[in-house]
Amino acid sequence: MSHHDDLGQQPGSIEDVVTGAVAGEPAARDSALRLVLASPLYRGATVALFLAGLGQSAAAPQIALFLTKELGGSLTTAGLFYLTNLTAPVAGYLVGARSDRTGGRLGLFRACAVAGFLGWAGIACATQLWMPFVISAVVLGFAGGAASQIFAAIHDELSVRPSAAGDGVVSVVRMALTAGWIVGPSAGAVLSARFGLRSMLAATALCALMQLVPLGVLRTPSKPAPPSRSPEVVQPDALLRTKMRTMRPLLLFTALYVFVYAGEPIKYAYLPIYMIERLHLSSGTEGAIIGIQPLVELVLMPCAVLAARRIGMMRLMVVAAGFGVAANICFATTGSTPGLFAGQILMGGVWGVFAALGIIMAQRLLPSAVATASAIFMSSTALSSALGGSAGGLGVAAVGLPHVFLIPATFALVAVIGLFLMDRSTRKSQASSGGSTGSRRSTQLAH
């Protein structure tokens, strides 16, 4: 547990490096932007992630409407669609583990992008209700590995060509994904209203395929080989225990992130239906409400890095998860356009924190296998979708709209409690070992 908040104290920590690159040092921030613009890999990754966010966010608010209107499914069935995302963490782990063994980050990225194209194209052409379920479970599970391989490739490049603005580069590239989510919901709503839901899903498939273009045939450099060591005989059970112990901080952080994110599938499945069928809002207003969240997120990401330096990363995440509680209460109780905007602005605060620092923290928590760490963390959104979608599908049948949004409010409250307990436990651990640690650091600084 102490590993987490030590990140806020030790030199080279996430707060120190990211804040130095983004919030407190304009020269470093400019350097990060120059690095992104000058490097074919960073520049291509930025464009690719923008396209990924554009396509995903266009489809996310409309998939429930497609299942109910085009294929005749019920609201409960539409919510259960997100159970198909249970395969994504497994697929992501397999892709990440292979990537760490072979180092072929961009080759696997291309395979995952093609899987995304085939999956969304297949859903767009579906004629039976079962078809999107099977396609999502089998094909789109692997598509989610594309973004994690991009971040692993960036990590490898920064390992070969280190820079003080390295974490700033990661933040800039990550912001491109958020930028895609700003444009996508409005574009998807307008495209669906004008050309139909199938055309919108076909456009999502095209966005997945177009990710291949900006990265072309680039290859990331191989990381320096570790020094050779004499072979050691390790028992398989001991190796497994060591591996699980090493991954424990990452898994704990990811599990709490799952509870934070679980409200997103409920929101994207039922908020558009609520706005159109109950509140009778126009498609433009619907798209604006959905799109305000990533806009706020994009603005707040640099501010979140600065705030994490001042109050601590874990404490900031407690506050952000609290915003998630308040946002879902707004959805459940206000019943007005201003109330929905307020909820989405609060959700922008949630993701302004987690989007800015989440992927960097995941890689720092498992530095020996960054592709696996990236895949586990990023595929957790799919696991959250399964949890939220199934809970939402059952909840909407039990309590209806808009009270179904009290379910994600409860999930976010669980995350608040969990993150608070992590923070308190870590600070107690630091206090008990503070004397010897302080002496050791003072000696290091003196030399």
Side-chain angles (χ1 to χ4, degrees):
M1 300 286 283
S2 61
H3 191 159
H4 286 76
D5 266 9
D6 277 348
L7 291 172
Q9 303 292 333
Q10 297 173 358
S13 69
I14 293 176
E15 284 92 340
D16 291 339
V17 179
V18 178
T19 307
V22 178
E25 300 175 12
R29 179 179 58 193
D30 294 340
S31 177
L33 292 174
R34 286 198 300 268
L35 284 173
V36 170
L37 293 175
S39 167
L41 173 63
Y42 303 153
R43 188 172 62 246
T46 302
V47 177
L49 286 179
F50 174 79
L51 292 170
L54 178 65
Q56 293 166 10
S57 62
Q62 307 297 329
I63 188 67
L65 289 173
F66 176 74
L67 294 173
T68 55
K69 290 189 174 181
E70 294 288 334
L71 301 181
S74 65
L75 289 178
T76 300
T77 302
L80 294 177
F81 172 78
Y82 293 96
L83 283 174
T84 60
N85 289 323
L86 286 173
T87 61
V90 178
Y93 176 80
L94 294 175
V95 172
R98 179 171 179 80
S99 177
D100 285 323
R101 287 196 305 269
T102 65
R105 318 295 199 197
L106 292 184
L108 288 167
F109 155 73
R110 294 181 179 100
C112 292
V114 171
F117 166 73
L118 295 175
W120 285 111
I123 291 176
C125 298
T127 56
Q128 301 293 326
L129 185 60
W130 61 267
M131 294 174 69
F133 285 78
V134 174
I135 293 170
S136 179
V138 176
V139 182
L140 290 183
F142 287 93
S148 67
Q149 294 309 299
I150 286 181
F151 284 112
I154 292 172
H155 181 278
D156 290 350
E157 181 75 7
L158 289 170
S159 298
V160 175
R161 298 178 178 84
S163 169
D167 283 350
V169 169
V170 176
S171 295
V172 170
V173 175
R174 176 59 181 83
M175 289 171 73
L177 184 63
T178 300
W181 277 82
I182 294 174
V183 181
S186 296
V190 172
L191 189 62
S192 297
R194 183 165 298 182
F195 299 104
L197 290 165
R198 292 184 185 274
S199 296
M200 181 275 303
L201 292 173
T204 296
L206 184 61
C207 285
L209 187 63
M210 289 296 291
Q211 292 179 79
L212 301 176
V213 176
L215 287 168
V217 293
L218 287 177
R219 293 181 181 274
T220 49
S222 300
K223 293 189 294 185
S228 59
R229 298 179 179 177
S230 57
E232 299 179 1
V233 179
V234 181
Q235 296 297 328
D237 58 341
L239 182 62
L240 179 60
R241 287 196 300 271
T242 301
K243 186 174 183 179
M244 291 304 299
R245 186 164 55 249
T246 303
M247 293 178 64
R248 192 177 300 159
L250 170 66
L251 295 176
L252 179 60
F253 173 70
T254 302
L256 291 172
Y257 179 78
V258 165
F259 281 103
V260 175
Y261 198 91
E264 291 295 277
I266 298 176
K267 182 186 70 179
Y268 283 119
Y270 298 116
L271 191 60
I273 294 174
Y274 176 55
M275 290 189 290
I276 293 174
E277 297 185 357
R278 300 291 179 87
L279 301 181
H280 306 291
L281 302 181
S282 66
S283 60
T285 302
E286 175 206 351
I289 290 173
I290 295 296
I292 191 66
Q293 173 188 320
L295 177 61
V296 173
E297 174 187 337
L298 188 67
V299 172
L300 290 183
M301 283 173 72
C303 300
V305 176
L306 178 60
R309 185 180 182 90
R310 292 180 179 274
I311 70 173
M313 180 178 293
M314 200 61 66
R315 284 185 175 179
L316 183 62
M317 290 180 176
V318 171
V319 174
F323 286 168
V325 177
N328 283 289
I329 290 176
C330 285
F331 298 148
T333 61
T334 57
S336 64
T337 299
L340 298 181
F341 269 112
Q344 283 289 78
I345 290 171
L346 287 167
M347 290 303 298
V350 176
W351 301 119
V353 172
F354 285 96
L357 302 170
I359 187 65
I360 301 174
M361 173 174 266
Q363 291 182 343
R364 295 291 176 87
L365 292 177
L366 195 64
S368 61
V370 293
T372 301
S374 301
I376 288 174
F377 178 76
M378 300 200 73
S379 64
S380 67
T381 59
L383 185 60
S384 300
S385 294
L387 172 63
S390 57
L394 298 174
V396 76
V399 300
L401 290 172
H403 296 108
V404 69
F405 296 110
L406 294 175
I407 295 174
T410 304
F411 286 150
L413 182 60
V414 171
V416 169
I417 295 171
L419 290 168
F420 174 78
L421 292 176
M422 283 181 62
D423 180 59
R424 188 174 68 172
S425 175
T426 301
R427 292 180 186 278
K428 285 183 178 180
S429 176
Q430 288 176 339
S432 64
S433 60
S436 59
T437 301
S439 299
R440 184 167 58 253
R441 286 178 181 169
S442 298
T443 302
Q444 291 172 346
L445 289 173
H447 287 82

